[in-house]
mmCIF file of all heavy atoms in Angstrom:
data_model
loop_
_atom_site.group_PDB
_atom_site.id
_atom_site.type_symbol
_atom_site.label_atom_id
_atom_site.label_comp_id
_atom_site.label_asym_id
_atom_site.label_seq_id
_atom_site.Cartn_x
_atom_site.Cartn_y
_atom_site.Cartn_z
ATOM 1 N N PHE T 121 302.380 201.069 43.369
ATOM 2 C CA PHE T 121 303.039 200.223 44.435
ATOM 3 C C PHE T 121 304.575 200.510 44.509
ATOM 4 O O PHE T 121 305.170 201.003 43.453
ATOM 5 C CB PHE T 121 302.795 198.799 44.407
ATOM 6 C CG PHE T 121 303.081 198.092 43.045
ATOM 7 C CD1 PHE T 121 304.251 197.472 42.918
ATOM 8 C CD2 PHE T 121 302.168 198.192 41.967
ATOM 9 C CE1 PHE T 121 304.590 196.886 41.692
ATOM 10 C CE2 PHE T 121 302.413 197.503 40.805
ATOM 11 C CZ PHE T 121 303.714 196.908 40.581
ATOM 12 N N LEU T 122 305.159 200.139 45.562
ATOM 13 C CA LEU T 122 306.623 200.329 45.842
ATOM 14 C C LEU T 122 307.441 199.014 45.550
ATOM 15 O O LEU T 122 306.855 197.983 45.971
ATOM 16 C CB LEU T 122 306.916 201.056 47.076
ATOM 17 C CG LEU T 122 306.217 202.366 47.383
ATOM 18 C CD1 LEU T 122 306.586 202.708 48.862
ATOM 19 C CD2 LEU T 122 306.657 203.390 46.307
ATOM 20 N N CYS T 123 308.744 199.210 45.254
ATOM 21 C CA CYS T 123 309.506 198.051 45.270
ATOM 22 C C CYS T 123 310.921 198.586 45.624
ATOM 23 O O CYS T 123 311.117 199.773 45.577
ATOM 24 C CB CYS T 123 309.646 197.222 43.953
ATOM 25 S SG CYS T 123 310.361 198.230 42.643
ATOM 26 N N ARG T 124 311.902 197.656 45.972
ATOM 27 C CA ARG T 124 313.140 198.134 46.175
ATOM 28 C C ARG T 124 313.858 198.662 44.949
ATOM 29 O O ARG T 124 313.508 198.245 43.857
ATOM 30 C CB ARG T 124 314.085 196.953 46.730
ATOM 31 C CG ARG T 124 313.700 196.607 48.120
ATOM 32 C CD ARG T 124 314.721 195.662 48.798
ATOM 33 N NE ARG T 124 314.546 194.332 48.151
ATOM 34 C CZ ARG T 124 315.207 193.281 48.529
ATOM 35 N NH1 ARG T 124 316.184 193.362 49.513
ATOM 36 N NH2 ARG T 124 315.027 192.093 47.985
ATOM 37 N N LYS T 125 314.672 199.720 45.118
ATOM 38 C CA LYS T 125 315.349 200.389 44.160
ATOM 39 C C LYS T 125 316.040 199.466 43.157
ATOM 40 O O LYS T 125 315.962 199.540 41.890
ATOM 41 C CB LYS T 125 316.259 201.576 44.490
ATOM 42 C CG LYS T 125 316.812 202.431 43.420
ATOM 43 C CD LYS T 125 317.618 203.487 44.025
ATOM 44 C CE LYS T 125 317.999 204.444 43.000
ATOM 45 N NZ LYS T 125 318.807 205.562 43.574
ATOM 46 N N SER T 126 316.770 198.506 43.665
ATOM 47 C CA SER T 126 317.529 197.556 42.965
ATOM 48 C C SER T 126 316.619 196.668 42.110
ATOM 49 O O SER T 126 316.981 196.257 41.010
ATOM 50 C CB SER T 126 318.354 196.634 43.837
ATOM 51 O OG SER T 126 317.451 196.018 44.814
ATOM 52 N N LEU T 127 315.292 196.321 42.565
ATOM 53 C CA LEU T 127 314.418 195.689 41.703
ATOM 54 C C LEU T 127 313.860 196.494 40.561
ATOM 55 O O LEU T 127 313.602 195.907 39.420
ATOM 56 C CB LEU T 127 313.327 195.100 42.642
ATOM 57 C CG LEU T 127 313.883 194.073 43.665
ATOM 58 C CD1 LEU T 127 312.575 193.724 44.562
ATOM 59 C CD2 LEU T 127 314.395 192.906 43.009
ATOM 60 N N SER T 128 313.609 197.762 40.799
ATOM 61 C CA SER T 128 313.120 198.568 39.761
ATOM 62 C C SER T 128 314.034 198.737 38.617
ATOM 63 O O SER T 128 313.698 198.840 37.444
ATOM 64 C CB SER T 128 312.680 199.983 40.243
ATOM 65 O OG SER T 128 313.872 200.750 40.618
ATOM 66 N N VAL T 129 315.371 198.528 38.870
ATOM 67 C CA VAL T 129 316.383 198.627 37.802
ATOM 68 C C VAL T 129 316.224 197.486 36.915
ATOM 69 O O VAL T 129 316.442 197.494 35.717
ATOM 70 C CB VAL T 129 317.865 198.527 38.467
ATOM 71 C CG1 VAL T 129 318.905 198.413 37.420
ATOM 72 C CG2 VAL T 129 318.113 199.866 39.261
ATOM 73 N N GLN T 130 315.705 196.325 37.366
ATOM 74 C CA GLN T 130 315.568 195.102 36.478
ATOM 75 C C GLN T 130 314.456 195.365 35.484
ATOM 76 O O GLN T 130 314.567 194.987 34.373
ATOM 77 C CB GLN T 130 314.973 193.905 37.538
ATOM 78 C CG GLN T 130 316.073 193.425 38.460
ATOM 79 C CD GLN T 130 315.469 192.177 39.161
ATOM 80 O OE1 GLN T 130 314.701 191.531 38.777
ATOM 81 N NE2 GLN T 130 316.061 192.016 40.455
ATOM 82 N N LEU T 131 313.410 196.153 35.946
ATOM 83 C CA LEU T 131 312.396 196.457 34.931
ATOM 84 C C LEU T 131 312.821 197.484 33.863
ATOM 85 O O LEU T 131 312.392 197.414 32.682
ATOM 86 C CB LEU T 131 311.170 197.049 35.646
ATOM 87 C CG LEU T 131 310.487 196.159 36.652
ATOM 88 C CD1 LEU T 131 309.403 196.981 37.434
ATOM 89 C CD2 LEU T 131 309.686 195.095 35.839
ATOM 90 N N LEU T 132 313.792 198.214 34.194
ATOM 91 C CA LEU T 132 314.352 199.253 33.258
ATOM 92 C C LEU T 132 315.518 198.712 32.470
ATOM 93 O O LEU T 132 316.101 199.479 31.722
ATOM 94 C CB LEU T 132 314.736 200.557 33.923
ATOM 95 C CG LEU T 132 313.630 201.153 34.712
ATOM 96 C CD1 LEU T 132 314.101 202.491 35.583
ATOM 97 C CD2 LEU T 132 312.565 201.751 33.728
ATOM 98 N N ASP T 133 315.906 197.502 32.866
ATOM 99 C CA ASP T 133 317.032 196.938 32.012
ATOM 100 C C ASP T 133 316.756 196.758 30.646
ATOM 101 O O ASP T 133 315.664 196.728 30.091
ATOM 102 C CB ASP T 133 317.428 195.585 32.790
ATOM 103 C CG ASP T 133 318.762 195.048 32.410
ATOM 104 O OD1 ASP T 133 319.653 195.909 31.966
ATOM 105 O OD2 ASP T 133 319.015 193.891 32.463
ATOM 106 N N ILE T 152 307.784 204.336 35.739
ATOM 107 C CA ILE T 152 308.610 204.010 36.923
ATOM 108 C C ILE T 152 309.462 205.164 37.266
ATOM 109 O O ILE T 152 310.172 205.765 36.366
ATOM 110 C CB ILE T 152 309.499 202.766 36.552
ATOM 111 C CG1 ILE T 152 308.598 201.605 36.185
ATOM 112 C CG2 ILE T 152 310.395 202.433 37.759
ATOM 113 C CD1 ILE T 152 309.392 200.265 35.831
ATOM 114 N N GLU T 153 309.497 205.504 38.526
ATOM 115 C CA GLU T 153 310.412 206.562 39.101
ATOM 116 C C GLU T 153 311.211 206.163 40.314
ATOM 117 O O GLU T 153 310.552 205.317 41.104
ATOM 118 C CB GLU T 153 309.681 207.893 39.524
ATOM 119 C CG GLU T 153 308.881 208.501 38.300
ATOM 120 C CD GLU T 153 308.118 209.749 38.732
ATOM 121 O OE1 GLU T 153 307.288 209.558 39.689
ATOM 122 O OE2 GLU T 153 308.426 210.830 38.173
ATOM 123 N N GLU T 154 312.447 206.520 40.391
ATOM 124 C CA GLU T 154 313.201 206.191 41.540
ATOM 125 C C GLU T 154 313.136 207.329 42.551
ATOM 126 O O GLU T 154 313.607 208.461 42.323
ATOM 127 C CB GLU T 154 314.538 205.833 41.144
ATOM 128 C CG GLU T 154 314.654 204.450 40.322
ATOM 129 C CD GLU T 154 316.105 204.246 39.898
ATOM 130 O OE1 GLU T 154 317.040 205.099 40.132
ATOM 131 O OE2 GLU T 154 316.407 203.159 39.378
ATOM 132 N N VAL T 155 312.565 206.954 43.696
ATOM 133 C CA VAL T 155 312.468 207.982 44.783
ATOM 134 C C VAL T 155 313.169 207.492 46.018
ATOM 135 O O VAL T 155 312.714 206.556 46.688
ATOM 136 C CB VAL T 155 310.972 208.306 45.122
ATOM 137 C CG1 VAL T 155 310.775 209.337 46.204
ATOM 138 C CG2 VAL T 155 310.250 208.706 43.834
ATOM 139 N N GLY T 156 314.358 208.136 46.271
ATOM 140 C CA GLY T 156 315.126 207.693 47.530
ATOM 141 C C GLY T 156 315.474 206.193 47.310
ATOM 142 O O GLY T 156 316.141 205.913 46.229
ATOM 143 N N GLU T 157 315.316 205.311 48.131
ATOM 144 C CA GLU T 157 315.719 203.904 48.073
ATOM 145 C C GLU T 157 314.568 203.119 47.478
ATOM 146 O O GLU T 157 314.723 201.892 47.429
ATOM 147 C CB GLU T 157 316.018 203.425 49.529
ATOM 148 C CG GLU T 157 317.190 204.205 50.140
ATOM 149 C CD GLU T 157 318.491 204.053 49.343
ATOM 150 O OE1 GLU T 157 318.834 202.962 48.800
ATOM 151 O OE2 GLU T 157 319.110 204.985 49.137
ATOM 152 N N PHE T 158 313.512 203.676 46.893
ATOM 153 C CA PHE T 158 312.473 202.762 46.331
ATOM 154 C C PHE T 158 312.232 203.144 44.955
ATOM 155 O O PHE T 158 312.560 204.189 44.360
ATOM 156 C CB PHE T 158 311.196 203.148 47.170
ATOM 157 C CG PHE T 158 311.242 202.667 48.580
ATOM 158 C CD1 PHE T 158 311.575 203.616 49.588
ATOM 159 C CD2 PHE T 158 310.953 201.363 49.026
ATOM 160 C CE1 PHE T 158 311.648 203.205 50.968
ATOM 161 C CE2 PHE T 158 311.045 200.962 50.363
ATOM 162 C CZ PHE T 158 311.383 201.941 51.178
ATOM 163 N N GLY T 159 311.562 202.110 44.222
ATOM 164 C CA GLY T 159 311.124 202.379 42.878
ATOM 165 C C GLY T 159 309.568 202.582 43.041
ATOM 166 O O GLY T 159 308.918 201.635 43.643
ATOM 167 N N VAL T 160 309.093 203.617 42.478
ATOM 168 C CA VAL T 160 307.671 203.819 42.455
ATOM 169 C C VAL T 160 307.010 203.431 41.163
ATOM 170 O O VAL T 160 307.449 204.003 40.096
ATOM 171 C CB VAL T 160 307.304 205.333 42.834
ATOM 172 C CG1 VAL T 160 305.763 205.611 42.879
ATOM 173 C CG2 VAL T 160 307.981 205.780 44.162
ATOM 174 N N ILE T 161 306.163 202.521 41.197
ATOM 175 C CA ILE T 161 305.583 202.019 39.914
ATOM 176 C C ILE T 161 304.100 202.424 39.756
ATOM 177 O O ILE T 161 303.356 202.152 40.640
ATOM 178 C CB ILE T 161 305.646 200.464 39.776
ATOM 179 C CG1 ILE T 161 307.181 200.036 40.031
ATOM 180 C CG2 ILE T 161 305.133 199.947 38.504
ATOM 181 C CD1 ILE T 161 307.412 198.580 40.083
ATOM 182 N N ILE T 178 304.458 192.539 36.673
ATOM 183 C CA ILE T 178 305.534 193.337 37.306
ATOM 184 C C ILE T 178 305.767 192.749 38.644
ATOM 185 O O ILE T 178 306.978 192.609 39.001
ATOM 186 C CB ILE T 178 305.016 194.772 37.338
ATOM 187 C CG1 ILE T 178 305.046 195.433 36.044
ATOM 188 C CG2 ILE T 178 306.007 195.516 38.307
ATOM 189 C CD1 ILE T 178 304.576 196.888 36.017
ATOM 190 N N ILE T 181 308.046 189.868 38.549
ATOM 191 C CA ILE T 181 309.453 190.205 38.245
ATOM 192 C C ILE T 181 310.206 190.818 39.547
ATOM 193 O O ILE T 181 311.353 190.471 39.779
ATOM 194 C CB ILE T 181 309.529 191.133 37.084
ATOM 195 C CG1 ILE T 181 308.993 190.591 35.815
ATOM 196 C CG2 ILE T 181 310.896 191.794 36.858
ATOM 197 C CD1 ILE T 181 308.805 191.582 34.704
ATOM 198 N N VAL T 182 309.474 191.713 40.299
ATOM 199 C CA VAL T 182 310.150 192.425 41.405
ATOM 200 C C VAL T 182 309.996 191.594 42.740
ATOM 201 O O VAL T 182 310.568 192.018 43.741
ATOM 202 C CB VAL T 182 309.529 193.835 41.574
ATOM 203 C CG1 VAL T 182 309.798 194.558 40.347
ATOM 204 C CG2 VAL T 182 308.068 193.874 41.900
ATOM 205 N N ALA T 183 309.180 190.513 42.726
ATOM 206 C CA ALA T 183 309.034 189.765 43.903
ATOM 207 C C ALA T 183 310.339 189.166 44.477
ATOM 208 O O ALA T 183 311.155 188.741 43.645
ATOM 209 C CB ALA T 183 307.985 188.660 43.755
ATOM 210 N N VAL T 184 310.378 188.993 45.833
ATOM 211 C CA VAL T 184 311.562 188.395 46.404
ATOM 212 C C VAL T 184 311.080 187.114 47.091
ATOM 213 O O VAL T 184 310.251 187.121 47.919
ATOM 214 C CB VAL T 184 312.206 189.307 47.420
ATOM 215 C CG1 VAL T 184 313.345 188.617 48.156
ATOM 216 C CG2 VAL T 184 312.743 190.648 46.840
#
Side-chain angles (χ1 to χ4, degrees):
F121 56 93
L122 303 177
C123 68
R124 285 191 289 183
K125 187 175 181 179
S126 58
L127 296 175
S128 69
V129 172
Q130 295 181 27
L131 293 169
L132 298 172
D133 194 20
I152 300 176
E153 294 182 308
E154 294 182 351
V155 180
E157 297 300 316
F158 295 94
V160 181
I161 303 172
I178 290 174
I181 295 173
V182 302
V184 178

